[in-house]
Amino acid sequence: DTLWDLAIAEVEKRENPDDDDVKPGEVWEKSILFMGNKNGGKTTIILRCLEREESPKPTLALEYTFGRRARRHNTPKDVAHFWELGGGTSLVELIRIPITSHNIRSFAVVLVLDLSKPNELWTTMESLLQVTRSHVNKILTKLEKTNPEVAAEIKQRMWNHLQRDHSDYALVDPFPIPLVIIGSKYDIFHEFDSEMRKIISKTLRFVSHYYGASLVFTSKSEALLLKARALINHLAFGYDKSKSVSLDASKPLFIPAGLDSMSQIGPPPASDSDLGKMRANTPLELWKKVFEKTFPPKSFCDLQDTKDPAQDSQYAEYEVDVMRAQKNQELEQYKRNASKSWKEMDFDSD
């Protein structure tokens, strides 16, 4: 290799540190799970990332698609697997299907939170991230016994975005796999009272920084979608990570992982007297109490998707629906017969 070849290789390695495990000519495979509020815009974001001109449809349970891109000219196309969890928090247990010990090294999560529904925000975020983290930690525990090198590598990557000399190093608790938090429907959120916007923005900045996640606000605006797409393409295809930052609460936030700090975020948005009355064991718990004082959460049951997918017209299939109707009639007849025979039974009163 010439000196120029070595220099180019070194620059590429610095700009794409995750490429270390991918040898020339090999195909890069990454997986991303999208989850978040029901009707929060997850499908729209996925379609935009894959440059597909199609209308988004409601997601049923867990759906899969993929995209292919070439990193350089005349190289094999890399593959990104996109999983989307539907139903908000009602089907959270399905996250165990896409995240496995076989792909954990190349897996990432995108959490889409609907900014227009602040009363659902914390409950949705907490429920989805807790279950996902618990599942990933179980996988890592098993890997420590079967493949300790991989487990150690994953745990080390959790801290890659934050240098040891960072002032917040001892105050954060990074998510075990790469995480991007997207605040959707910014166009509606922008019409909120300025104080409400400030509380939501500061809270999401804290949560993102605490978990070592990137944060971006988006809407149907092409410019904002491009910013979200840049973060996702970095995870999916190893594209260069954006260096730009937007911390202004009056504008859409854009903060790549590791580029925020507790000192810039400031304390929870509450008076000193209110903070003194709140009992919390962790900074995350304190921020939760402050946030939910302004935006009382909906109960977990209210967030469940109770609609029967079998009754959804978009999934109609004539033959299947006719057979289902017949079976429903048979079931009702069985119930009536069983009820009748039960009433006619002669019970001994002794």
Side-chain angles (χ1 to χ4, degrees), residues 69-306:
R69 301 275 170 80
R71 267 172 289 161
R72 303 176 187 84
H73 185 61
N74 290 332
T75 59
K77 289 188 176 181
D78 298 322
V79 180
H81 306 280
F82 289 79
W83 296 87
E84 182 183 358
L85 180 68
T89 58
S90 62
L91 302 170
V92 67
E93 296 301 322
L94 292 179
I95 61 100
R96 298 173 180 173
I97 295 174
I99 309 177
T100 69
S101 58
H102 299 292
N103 63 16
I104 190 70
R105 291 179 69 195
S106 57
F107 213 100
V109 169
V110 174
L111 177 64
V112 181
L113 298 173
D114 189 338
L115 295 174
S116 71
K117 299 176 181 177
N119 298 86
E120 297 180 13
L121 193 150
W122 194 284
T123 306
T124 299
M125 173 185 67
E126 185 176 57
S127 174
L128 293 172
L129 291 185
Q130 279 183 351
V131 174
T132 305
R133 183 167 210 160
S134 175
H135 176 61
V136 171
N137 285 340
K138 287 179 181 177
I139 292 176
L140 291 178
T141 299
K142 291 180 180 178
L143 281 176
E144 286 176 343
K145 299 176 182 177
T146 59
N147 200 333
E149 291 183 0
V150 170
E153 176 194 330
I154 293 171
K155 289 185 176 182
Q156 178 57 43
R157 284 184 180 180
M158 291 165 53
W159 295 94
N160 280 353
H161 69 282
L162 210 61
Q163 300 298 321
R164 283 192 173 275
D165 59 353
H166 195 288
S167 58
D168 300 335
Y169 194 85
L171 303 175
V172 298
D173 186 17
F175 206 67
I177 54 178
L179 173 65
V180 170
I181 297 178
I182 296 179
S184 65
K185 301 187 181 180
Y186 177 80
D187 49 336
I188 300 175
F189 169 78
H190 188 59
E191 300 301 320
F192 285 6
D193 172 78
S194 61
E195 193 59 30
M196 290 175 62
R197 293 202 313 269
K198 180 181 177 181
I199 294 172
I200 296 170
S201 295
K202 284 192 68 172
T203 300
L204 287 180
R205 281 182 64 185
F206 169 80
V207 170
S208 298
H209 186 57
Y210 183 79
Y211 282 129
S214 296
L215 175 66
V216 59
F217 284 0
T218 189
S219 67
K220 293 181 179 179
S221 160
E222 187 66 20
L224 294 185
L225 278 171
L226 282 174
K227 288 194 171 185
R229 181 183 169 195
L231 287 175
I232 295 169
N233 277 339
H234 171 69
L235 297 177
F237 301 107
Y239 287 12
D240 290 350
K241 188 184 298 185
S242 176
K243 302 294 194 301
S244 65
V245 180
S246 176
L247 303 173
D248 189 344
S250 65
K251 298 177 181 179
L253 296 179
F254 182 81
I255 313 171
L259 299 184
D260 210 343
S261 67
M262 297 296 187
S263 60
Q264 294 182 93
I265 297 170
S271 65
D272 291 341
S273 60
D274 285 342
L275 289 176
K277 297 175 185 177
M278 295 179 180
R279 295 184 178 180
N281 295 320
T282 65
L284 188 67
E285 190 177 330
L286 178 61
W287 277 82
K288 176 183 178 179
K289 289 179 180 293
V290 172
F291 183 81
E292 292 187 342
K293 184 178 180 182
T294 304
F295 303 105
K298 286 190 174 183
S299 68
F300 185 78
C301 292
D302 291 340
L303 298 177
Q304 299 292 309
D305 184 14
T306 56

